[in-house]
Amino acid sequence: MISRKWAAFVCVLALVFSSGCSVFMAAKQPDKKNVDLFRLGTPRTMLLGEFGPPVTSETRNGRKYEVFKFVQGYSTGVKAGRALFHGAADVMTLGLWEVVGTPAEAVFSGDEMAFEVSYDRNNRINQVTTIK
């Protein structure tokens, strides 16, 4: 017959390894971007380094215009804290927290943002428009 200690150990082990989607989703949220770069005088290369290539790029009236679109995420500390919270809640509720935690992580997955910028002849921002 299986002892109670062995059965309890197997249950705890199963809980630890079954902590589910909310922990993973919290850890994999998008990173926080430095939106303070969208200011006058910032070089185009800094924008490309932080946000990647623009979604559109065109020339109007002799000036270059680009649109940067991205999901504003969370700092590493916030993501780690959320993942730890979900893991602890999973253990304390024997996995029932996933019913609340997984949909919550799906909803709080960052904010979509978009900025249109134009550059001067030195490829520095001379105008910023917040689109979203």
Side-chain angles (χ1 to χ4, degrees), residues 88-111:
D90 279 347
V91 170
M92 296 302 291
T93 64
L94 303 178
L96 291 176
W97 175 253
E98 288 302 320
V99 175
V100 175
T102 299
E105 283 301 320
V107 170
F108 298 111
S109 59
D111 296 321

Side-chain angles (χ1 to χ4, degrees), residues 33-35 37-38 46-53 68-70:
K33 302 286 188 181
N34 183 5
V35 294
L37 292 176
F38 289 108
M46 289 183 75
L47 291 181
L48 294 175
E50 180 73 10
F51 304 102
F68 290 89
K69 189 175 179 182
F70 58 94

Side-chain angles (χ1 to χ4, degrees), residues 67-85:
V67 173
F68 290 89
K69 189 175 179 182
F70 58 94
V71 175
Q72 179 63 300
Y74 303 95
S75 68
T76 303
V78 170
K79 293 191 302 185
R82 285 167 61 170
L84 285 171
F85 172 79

Side-chain angles (χ1 to χ4, degrees), residues 1-20:
M1 192 174 237
I2 299 175
S3 73
R4 286 185 172 205
K5 287 183 180 180
W6 179 251
F9 175 73
V10 170
C11 286
V12 168
L13 202 61
L15 282 173
V16 168
F17 287 111
S18 71
S19 67

